[in-house]
Amino acid sequence: MHGFSFRHTVGDRRLLRLGAAAGLWAVSVTCSEPTGPGEPPPFQDPRRVLLWIYATGVYLEPGEVLQFGFTIYDLSSSPPRLITYPPFGSYDPWPAGYRFAWWSSKNKVATVDQQGLIRAISPGRATIWVQVEGGRDSATIVVSRAAGSASGLAYQDVRPVHNRTCAIDTEGIAYCWGSDLDGTLGRLVPRAFTLGAAPSPIAGGHRFSAAPVGFDHACAIDLQGQAWCWGRNHLGQLGVGEPTEPFGFAYQGSPVPVRGNLRFVTLAGAAQSTCGLDGAGEAYCWGSNYFGELGIGSFAPPPVRDFRAEPVKVTGGLRFALLEAGTFHVCGLTVQGVAYCWGNNSAGQVGSDSVERCMQLCRTAPDSVRTELRFTNLALGGRHTCGVVVGGDVYCWGANGSGQLGSTAVTSFSSRPVKVDADVKFTSIAAGGNNTCGLTNDGTAFCWGDNSLGQLGNGTRGGLEPNPIPQHVVGNLKFKRLGVGGGHVCGIALDGWVYCWGDARRGQLGYGKIGPPNAAIIEVQPRPVPVAKPII
């Protein structure tokens, strides 16, 4: 049984003290007339905590409610511990022993109660604050319809990755949304356990030539060819000349310049490394080399931490016209259309019969894919690779457990290219995770592979069965560019707006909606939804 005691004065501010005695929870609430936006006074002798509010950039309509929460990293406990509210798998309503307070900057727009329940009142924008012991964090709530293309903004590039999506508009401004676990949303202050439900611009005011790439980090090129990176750096993936220790929450939340005085024309981001092409077509890579993904011709086995914290030239003296990266492998395309790949080859995704032993089977230097085919375009997924040939046919190689190779003739994997079983021709392709998607000449999108999170975009959500036959993306949209992440897909429609589908649990679809914290139901969108207007 739970016991509660309350102390009230007039007003809207709520301070809660949590504790346990004789098996009973005791909760004290103090309310007084707020000053300014309703900010409460600091707690006396607070615990030292790092605090991350649940989500920001949420769009609600008047009358809509949403349960918010937070995660803290308690530095005062020994050892430090992570605590999430609402608690995972627990019926206890409060984390024991912690004082916290919620308040809204504009109660006429949105209110929040002492349990973090937000209620949208009328159109406008409000900041929802939470204070837990010595930590404070805030989130933006917009009460409005999350209209997309009506804003007049147009995008030119989009790059979904694992739990995040980034895009740039026609002015070169970059926006990201989804998980900020490693500071990869680039919003200046890393919010390790905060989700961005709508696009927001990268800090620093840079103009970029393409959308940021990378998994636990992000990198992009400015209009002068300088590469900038942000996010995690424990294996030198930011290219700034030294790594950041792998423990704790020391992430870079805004772009920093990559060392080396190099100027790049394109970048390709893998899980913990990045590669780029300079103006002469020479490839450089930095970050982790655990799977030979730097292409430098060598690998140092554990206990050595094999990485390079600034760009190093890929061995072999090749010149590339195009460069793409998967999770732990990289491929380049020469001007003659010959594909060369290096890195992890555990499922044949490098397309080479000559293998080495890194952390898994690998190639530490570029090797040509074993085929006479000549490609016009490449796309790399988690453990598979695909290419378009002249005429519009697509060939894929690597893992095929979800049907991502697009062939019914292959079961588990193929180290040689196999033709995708399609009745249509493709002009471009994109790959990620266990999926591949392609565009036809008129902008019609097809996807194949995993559909467990609705990433085929055909209006259904499947199970774990493979889907090797390309499926038409529903919605009568025509696209000019596609990108595939770990469990979601995004595309730029002909009107310049971004639409996404698939896994929505981390805000990576960017449509301004997100489920409550610790939701038991997996949230997916199996058909394209428009990305919300950016929150500036």
Side-chain angles (χ1 to χ4, degrees):
M1 174 174 185
H2 294 151
F4 300 90
S5 63
F6 298 90
R7 291 185 291 122
H8 296 276
T9 58
V10 178
D12 189 64
R13 186 167 59 207
R14 301 170 176 87
L15 305 182
L16 288 83
R17 173 69 179 180
L18 295 97
L24 300 178
W25 292 108
V27 180
S28 297
V29 179
T30 302
C31 299
S32 60
E33 188 65 25
T35 59
E39 178 181 348
F43 295 118
Q44 293 184 352
D45 301 321
R47 296 189 187 194
R48 294 185 304 115
V49 301
L50 298 176
L51 171 65
W52 299 277
I53 203 166
Y54 170 60
T56 188
V58 175
Y59 278 81
L60 299 174
E61 296 187 22
E64 199 171 354
V65 297
L66 178 63
Q67 175 68 55
F68 252 35
F70 54 79
T71 296
I72 63 171
Y73 187 60
D74 187 351
L75 299 167
S76 65
S77 66
S78 183
R81 58 175 178 160
L82 283 170
I83 303 172
T84 297
Y85 166 76
F88 287 102
S90 171
Y91 294 101
D92 295 330
W94 314 109
Y98 294 90
R99 297 166 293 182
F100 63 92
W102 291 93
W103 71 97
S104 170
S105 68
K106 295 180 181 178
N107 286 323
K108 291 183 178 180
V109 175
T111 63
V112 59
D113 70 10
Q114 67 268 34
Q115 298 182 23
L117 186 67
I118 298 168
R119 182 176 299 276
I121 305 299
S122 62
R125 177 170 168 168
T127 301
I128 303 298
W129 286 86
V130 63
Q131 171 180 305
V132 181
E133 294 292 337
R136 291 188 178 189
D137 199 9
S138 64
T140 299
I141 298 293
V142 178
V143 180
S144 168
R145 292 189 180 275
S149 57
S151 67
L153 183 70
Y155 292 95
Q156 61 173 311
D157 190 24
V158 63
R159 300 292 181 100
V161 288
H162 181 53
N163 285 327
R164 181 184 84 251
T165 306
C166 294
I168 63 163
D169 66 17
T170 52
E171 300 297 322
I173 300 173
Y175 304 83
C176 292
W177 56 92
S179 172
D180 200 23
L181 180 60
D182 298 302
T184 48
L185 296 189
R187 300 183 180 182
L188 192 62
V189 178
R191 288 175 159 179
F193 295 93
T194 298
L195 311 175
S200 191
I202 300 299
H206 303 284
R207 299 296 176 99
F208 296 112
S209 60
V213 299
F215 285 61
D216 64 357
H217 66 295
C219 296
I221 309 169
D222 68 18
L223 301 183
Q224 289 73 46
Q226 170 69 55
W228 299 78
C229 296
W230 58 97
R232 198 169 188 185
N233 192 41
H234 67 300
L235 292 172
Q237 53 266 61
L238 299 192
V240 296
E242 59 183 15
T244 303
E245 284 304 310
F247 304 106
F249 298 98
Y251 307 132
Q252 175 63 42
S254 60
V256 291
V258 172
R259 294 183 62 175
N261 296 319
L262 293 165
R263 292 297 178 263
F264 296 99
V265 297
T266 189
L267 293 179
Q272 296 167 335
S273 63
T274 304
C275 295
L277 291 182
D278 67 9
E282 292 186 303
Y284 294 80
C285 298
W286 59 95
S288 170
N289 194 44
Y290 283 0
F291 298 91
E293 60 266 55
L294 298 188
I296 57 178
S298 64
F299 162 74
V304 174
R305 293 174 63 202
D306 194 4
F307 66 89
R308 303 295 185 276
E310 58 186 274
V312 291
K313 185 180 289 188
V314 171
T315 191
L318 293 162
R319 304 291 178 98
F320 297 108
L322 180 150
L323 199 66
E324 295 289 342
T327 303
F328 295 113
H329 73 296
V330 182
C331 295
L333 194 64
T334 68
V335 293
Q336 294 81 23
V338 179
Y340 287 81
C341 300
W342 59 94
N344 186 9
N345 198 38
S346 59
Q349 61 266 45
V350 170
S352 173
D353 294 329
S354 175
V355 295
E356 307 161 64
R357 170 61 71 172
C358 298
M359 296 296 285
Q360 296 178 350
L361 295 179
C362 74
R363 281 289 302 169
T364 61
D367 195 18
S368 60
V369 175
R370 296 299 183 261
T371 180
E372 298 299 321
L373 295 167
R374 295 297 179 261
F375 299 98
T376 62
N377 184 249
L378 292 177
L380 279 63
R383 295 197 304 154
H384 74 289
T385 308
C386 296
V388 182
V389 300
V390 174
D393 288 330
V394 176
Y395 288 81
C396 299
W397 57 98
N400 195 43
S402 297
Q404 60 265 49
L405 300 190
S407 174
T408 57
V410 177
T411 53
S412 57
F413 73 96
S414 175
S415 61
R416 300 294 178 95
V418 294
K419 186 175 179 295
V420 171
D421 297 331
D423 296 329
V424 297
K425 304 297 183 181
F426 296 98
T427 57
S428 66
I429 53 172
N434 297 322
N435 287 96
T436 312
C437 295
L439 289 180
T440 64
N441 188 56
D442 69 349
T444 302
F446 290 83
C447 295
W448 56 97
D450 183 15
N451 196 40
S452 60
L453 295 170
Q455 53 267 64
L456 295 189
N458 63 2
T460 69
R461 178 188 178 188
L464 299 178
E465 69 278 0
N467 297 277
I469 305 301
Q471 304 285 307
H472 177 231
V473 175
V474 300
N476 298 318
L477 290 165
K478 301 294 183 181
F479 296 95
K480 54 185 177 182
R481 192 174 187 91
L482 290 178
V484 182
H488 70 295
V489 183
C490 295
I492 302 177
L494 296 184
D495 65 0
W497 202 253
V498 172
Y499 292 77
C500 298
W501 59 94
D503 187 0
R505 292 173 294 175
R506 299 295 182 266
Q508 59 265 57
L509 301 191
Y511 67 121
K513 300 293 184 182
I514 200 163
N518 307 340
I521 300 174
I522 294 176
E523 297 190 6
V524 304
Q525 286 289 340
R527 59 181 65 237
V529 293
V531 167
K533 291 180 294 186
I535 295 178
I536 307 300

